Structure formats: structure tokens, C-alpha cells
Amino acid sequence: QVQLVESGGGLVQPGGSLRLSCVASGVIFSTATMRWYRQAPGKQRELAAEITSGGSTNYADSVKGRFSVSRDNAKNTVYLQMNSLKPEDTAVYYCHVFRLKDYWGQGTQVTVSS
């Protein structure tokens, strides 16, 4: 059974930083493309960042240059370092992996506000 558990969300002021973590189990982590999605109130869920098994990364235009996705295969963990946060980054952030079907974590709330 695949499980994804996110942590690291919270309230931060504009310009601040947060690091999200997602621990995966039930999957051969080193072979999986891991993704971070986010969903703001009243909006559709969107892809924020992804990292392949080989370490290639891809980012939404809205977060390029500010967010960085990384992985530690020894810890079955994917990270999302978020810098220069803006109020429009406020959302629930979800970890995702596809293994015959979509698997999602429970989400972690990120609120950027002064």
C-alpha cells in the first residue's frame, strides 16, 4: 500500500521561506517520479514541481527561480524548498506519485500572509 505523508507547512510572511517534506512508503522510491501539486481556494489543483528518478526537475512558471525540488532516496523523501514566498503561493500542497494509479498525500497547508 502506497502512503505519502507531507509535513512542513505553516504560516509565513511574504518573502519568507518554508521547506516541505514528503515521506513515501510502499513504493520503490528510487524509481519513481515525485511531484508536488498545490490547490488554492477556489482553484484547480496544479503541478508546482516534479523530480524524476534520474534527478531531472520541472517547475511551473509561477514558481521558477523561487522553488527547488530535491529527493533523498536513502530516506524515501522528497522536498520542496520554497523561497521568496508570495501571498499567491497560499495553498494546500500535496505530494503525488503514480504507480498504476494516482496516489496523494493528505496535504499540508501553506499560508503566506503578513
Side-chain angles (χ1 to χ4, degrees), residues 12-81:
V12 63
Q13 292 187 342
S17 298
L18 282 175
R19 189 176 83 153
L20 306 183
S21 300
C22 170
V23 180
S25 59
V27 63
I28 303 175
F29 184 80
S30 61
T31 67
T33 291
M34 300 301 298
R35 298 180 174 90
W36 285 99
Y37 282 80
R38 65 183 185 180
Q39 187 166 20
K43 294 188 176 182
Q44 288 189 332
R45 195 170 295 190
E46 64 174 4
L47 178 67
E50 64 181 5
I51 183 166
T52 69
S53 59
S56 297
T57 58
N58 183 44
Y59 299 93
D61 288 343
S62 57
V63 308
K64 277 181 183 176
R66 301 186 298 119
F67 289 14
S68 178
V69 59
S70 61
R71 64 192 299 156
D72 185 337
N73 290 339
K75 295 182 178 180
N76 280 14
T77 302
V78 60
Y79 304 98
L80 186 66
Q81 178 67 43

Side-chain angles (χ1 to χ4, degrees), residues 2-4 6 36-37 45 94-97 102-107:
V2 177
Q3 287 191 321
L4 303 172
E6 303 103 332
W36 285 99
Y37 282 80
R45 195 170 295 190
Y94 297 93
C95 185
H96 169 275
V97 68
D102 294 307
Y103 290 93
W104 300 92
Q106 81 285 359

